[in-house]
Amino acid sequence: MTQRIEDYALIGDLQTAALVGRDGSVDWLCLPRFDSGACFAALLGDEDNGHWRLAPRGARTCTRRAYLGDSLVLESVWETRTGTVRVLDFMPQRDRSPDLMRIVEGVSGRVEMSSVLRLRFDYGSAVPWVRRTDGHRVAVAGPDSVWLRSEPEVKTWGQQYSTCSSFTVGPGEKVAFCLTWHPSHEPRPGLVDPYEALEHTLEDWKSWAAQCTYEGPYRDAVMRSLITLKALTYAPTGGIVAAPTTSLPEEMGGVRNWDYRFCWLRDSTLTLYALLSAGYLEEAGAWRDWLLRAVAGDPADLQIMYGLAGERRLPEAEVPWLRGYGGSRPVRIGNAAVNQRQLDVYGQVMDSLYLAREVGMPPQRHAWALQLSLLGYLESTWRQPDEGLWEVRGQRRHFVHSKVMAWVAADRAVRTLERHPDLPGDVERWRTMRDEVHREVCARGYDPVRNTFTQSYGSAELDAATLLIPRVGFLPPDDPRVVGTVEAVAAELGHDGFVHRYSTDGIAVDGLPGGEGTFLACSFWMADALNLMGRKDEARELFERLLGVCNDVGLLAEEYDPVAGRQLGNFPQAFSHVGLVTTALALTADDAAG
């Protein structure tokens, strides 16, 4: 491992994504989908597990890099002793086959470039057979084939199960590489002009970014976060993956390494709000429709996450041949948390569909009947323990956040029926449930001695998820119990303003050894809570400190280690970027109001 997590940048085509390091190496790419087997897996192993490095010969890292405008086209500039060169990395939105394109352009002097391509299918385990045909190098193993060509052709040879190229560029001279994945049993994929693809890709992103309605002081950070959320969208279905990676550790050398290449219901309300608030109605509609398709069926079978198209089976397995990022094992694919009981997701779904209705999104005829079915099931199960928002792998508990979200489910049903009395439903029934949940949470989930809500009934531990209590409307932000909770979470789970999800000291509630970094989404929630409480200067100061965690191209992982000063966890993380957008919007709205 030579690259920090924040040393990577993201490129993608709205169906999969690649991570490109400062050293010019593509170290992670799953083809053809986000959740497919990786053909470049050096991120979780070493170079022999697959990568593609394109850089000036002898150079270690690029001089500077940035995205071109509001796009996902990455420009890396290399200044060497013989001259300067730039490399453009991008993945055009696909017509059929996914393409990874890398364009080298000489800027000044003459620079000798080197390309080393090591393809390893199935997460770095399968070495393909490589042959020449029709001006391509073709790598085949089982169902996968990758076709590589350059324009113009450059000197290329095979060496130690790698495809190597060497060439020199001067001012204005260009060499373009096109790498295309294709099912191995099908004929050669069609040729794509790399320069036309670049032009179209830039135009696509420019047109998309122009739809953004946010023009506040944090516009650049918000726009980059929205572009990242768009990049994590699986365009054929509208599902949004939590991250394009698996097993990037929450603690260096630890075991908290999970696969995030799936779609979580817990993210739905906040994601929908962020997209709608920034003017992206089409994306919000696609996400809402994905949600409705995914949760359709028996409400007892509701899962916390689904595959890109709503797949239900996401079996977890370990990949023993990968040593893990920084030696953090095991590397996992799939996610066993899919089988957990998390009662809060019923509240998330109800809240999302309530929001969609209130902002005037075109209604789906079957949506309300589905909501009533989900709520009817929750009515009989909300008193049960569960694994909670954080998907703990310890024993089930009565998590306060889960109960609060059960209240949200009933509350949104009441609000919907009050505003739309023509809809079927027993509003008094849901009022009764809402009041009962509220009374129980305040009686059993609140510690009057410490003046704070706790993680679960009868526990002493705290949980950053309780910061959402005022945001969802369970209690007003000036309620002394809310104020006490915010202060307790800051004191016990905070670290220089950054917030841990919960304590991992002693006997961890999640049943896992070791610790983890501060959770960036929770840190944004803290800023939101402070803002709601009227402590606006503190909220803005924390938010701007969080902006400082973004890497040089504006990306955030799941967590941050404030001691080591580095990002942790899967990258880039949708939940972190949703938090950035929603907090920026709240702060800006507050400025506009007063």
Side-chain angles (χ1 to χ4, degrees):
M1 181 195 68
T2 58
Q3 301 282 298
R4 300 173 303 169
I5 290 172
E6 56 265 39
D7 286 332
Y8 287 98
L10 179 79
I11 58 174
D13 65 358
L14 310 188
Q15 296 190 44
T16 191
L19 294 186
V20 187
R22 285 178 171 272
D23 63 351
S25 182
V26 182
D27 288 346
W28 183 256
L29 175 61
C30 299
L31 292 173
R33 305 192 340 169
F34 289 107
D35 57 353
S36 300
C39 64
F40 297 143
L43 178 71
L44 300 178
D46 56 32
E47 293 179 346
D48 287 336
N49 297 122
H51 77 122
W52 182 11
R53 185 162 193 252
L54 177 61
R57 184 172 298 279
R60 297 185 63 184
T61 60
C62 66
T63 308
R64 59 186 181 276
R65 63 180 183 172
Y67 289 109
L68 294 184
D70 293 329
S71 81
L72 211 63
V73 177
L74 179 69
E75 178 189 57
S76 302
V77 176
W78 302 73
E79 296 176 352
T80 75
R81 62 180 181 81
T82 64
T84 299
V85 67
R86 72 171 187 157
V87 178
L88 299 180
D89 291 319
F90 65 101
M91 297 183 72
Q93 295 183 28
R94 70 180 77 170
D95 181 21
R96 183 180 180 191
S97 298
D99 299 291
L100 169 58
M101 300 195 171
R102 316 192 74 179
I103 298 177
V104 181
E105 180 180 0
V107 177
S108 64
R110 296 194 63 79
V111 181
E112 184 180 2
M113 299 293 295
S114 172
S115 169
V116 178
L117 171 68
R118 288 187 178 92
L119 284 160
R120 301 291 187 267
F121 297 116
D122 192 23
Y123 301 101
S125 67
V127 180
W129 183 264
V130 181
R131 69 180 190 273
R132 292 177 183 263
T133 181
D134 297 330
H136 288 77
R137 294 278 179 154
V138 184
V140 176
D144 299 294
S145 71
V146 164
W147 296 62
L148 175 72
R149 78 178 196 277
S150 66
E151 295 185 8
E153 287 192 43
V154 298
K155 179 183 177 183
T156 302
W157 67 96
Q159 179 177 315
Q160 297 179 335
Y161 301 102
S162 303
T163 299
C164 302
S165 301
S166 179
F167 57 96
T168 301
V169 291
E173 295 177 345
K174 299 179 182 180
V175 174
F177 289 90
C178 303
L179 183 148
T180 302
W181 180 92
H182 203 61
S184 60
H185 63 279
E186 293 186 2
R188 188 186 81 174
L191 298 180
V192 178
D193 183 287
Y195 301 103
E196 288 185 2
L198 174 62
E199 182 179 343
H200 291 157
T201 300
L202 288 171
E203 184 56 39
D204 286 343
W205 282 110
K206 180 180 178 181
S207 175
W208 186 84
Q211 300 174 47
C212 181
T213 57
Y214 175 79
E215 294 294 342
Y218 306 113
R219 194 264 178 196
D220 289 347
V222 168
M223 191 72 251
R224 181 50 53 191
S225 291
L226 291 168
I227 289 171
T228 302
L229 291 175
K230 178 69 171 176
L232 298 180
T233 301
Y234 185 65
T237 67
I240 301 175
V241 297
T245 56
T246 179
S247 300
L248 288 179
E250 297 171 16
E251 178 186 41
M252 292 299 298
V255 301
R256 299 166 186 264
N257 316 317
W258 315 110
D259 192 347
Y260 277 13
R261 298 171 299 156
F262 309 113
C263 307
W264 266 259
L265 299 189
R266 74 179 185 211
D267 304 0
S268 58
T269 308
L270 297 177
T271 302
L272 200 64
Y273 175 80
L275 292 171
L276 288 169
S277 298
Y280 287 99
L281 304 183
E282 182 178 344
E283 284 73 17
W287 177 231
R288 188 274 311 268
D289 293 346
W290 175 90
L291 180 68
L292 285 169
R293 292 193 302 271
V295 305
D298 188 339
D301 296 331
L302 186 69
Q303 297 182 177
I304 65 166
M305 71 179 85
Y306 295 86
L308 306 177
E311 297 91 344
R312 289 175 169 265
R313 299 193 181 191
L314 311 174
E316 183 174 296
E318 296 182 4
V319 183
W321 59 85
L322 291 176
R323 66 187 185 190
Y325 179 87
S328 305
R329 289 177 171 170
V331 171
R332 297 181 174 94
I333 56 174
N335 200 311
V338 70
N339 299 314
Q340 290 186 352
R341 176 198 294 159
Q342 294 183 22
L343 296 175
D344 65 290
V345 297
Y346 292 87
Q348 299 287 7
V349 172
M350 290 292 293
D351 201 17
S352 295
L353 298 180
Y354 169 79
L355 174 63
R357 180 183 294 274
E358 290 307 298
V359 300
M361 291 177 65
Q364 294 281 12
R365 287 185 300 174
H366 65 287
W368 181 244
L370 174 61
Q371 288 176 262
L372 289 178
S373 179
L374 293 173
L375 192 57
Y377 176 77
L378 182 63
E379 183 183 29
S380 64
T381 58
W382 71 265
R383 297 175 183 83
Q384 299 177 11
D386 69 347
E387 280 89 359
L389 169 72
W390 304 125
E391 301 167 9
V392 301
R393 301 206 174 191
Q395 69 181 42
R396 288 179 174 175
R397 302 186 181 209
H398 291 283
F399 286 101
V400 169
H401 177 263
S402 296
K403 310 300 185 185
V404 168
M405 293 309 296
W407 176 90
V408 167
D411 177 74
R412 299 322 186 244
V414 170
R415 293 191 193 188
T416 299
L417 289 169
E418 287 176 343
R419 299 184 190 188
H420 305 278
D422 55 312
L423 291 173
D426 186 344
V427 68
E428 290 304 323
R429 175 183 174 185
W430 307 129
R431 281 200 189 102
T432 299
M433 175 184 167
R434 180 180 67 177
D435 294 345
E436 185 177 356
V437 176
H438 199 280
R439 284 194 299 271
E440 181 176 296
V441 171
C442 291
R444 300 183 62 190
Y446 172 71
D447 182 346
V449 175
R450 297 161 65 201
N451 187 29
T452 182
F453 284 94
T454 58
Q455 184 174 52
S456 60
Y457 290 174
S459 72
E461 294 87 3
L462 301 184
D463 190 331
T466 57
L467 294 172
L468 295 172
I469 284 175
R471 181 170 182 162
V472 300
F474 185 84
L475 287 172
D478 59 353
D479 187 288
R481 292 165 292 184
V482 170
V483 175
T485 298
V486 173
E487 292 177 345
V489 168
E492 296 188 27
L493 300 182
H495 190 293
D496 292 337
F498 301 101
V499 179
H500 290 274
R501 294 185 294 176
Y502 49 84
S503 175
T504 55
D505 296 336
I507 300 176
V509 68
D510 56 25
L512 297 167
E516 61 182 25
T518 59
F519 204 78
L520 290 171
C522 295
S523 303
F524 285 114
W525 297 347
M526 175 61 76
D528 292 337
L530 292 171
N531 188 50
L532 286 170
M533 291 163 54
R535 294 160 61 174
K536 302 182 185 305
D537 290 343
E538 293 177 67
R540 188 175 300 277
E541 190 276 333
L542 175 55
F543 177 72
E544 292 180 355
R545 197 183 320 166
L546 287 164
L547 289 185
V549 173
C550 294
N551 74 353
D552 59 317
V553 290
L555 302 181
L556 290 170
E558 180 183 31
E559 299 183 2
Y560 180 67
D561 182 346
V563 176
R566 61 181 299 174
Q567 297 192 28
L568 293 170
N570 284 304
F571 174 87
Q573 178 79 5
F575 216 25
S576 299
H577 284 283
V578 166
L580 188 156
V581 172
T582 53
T583 303
L585 291 170
L587 291 171
T588 303
D590 183 68
D591 290 343

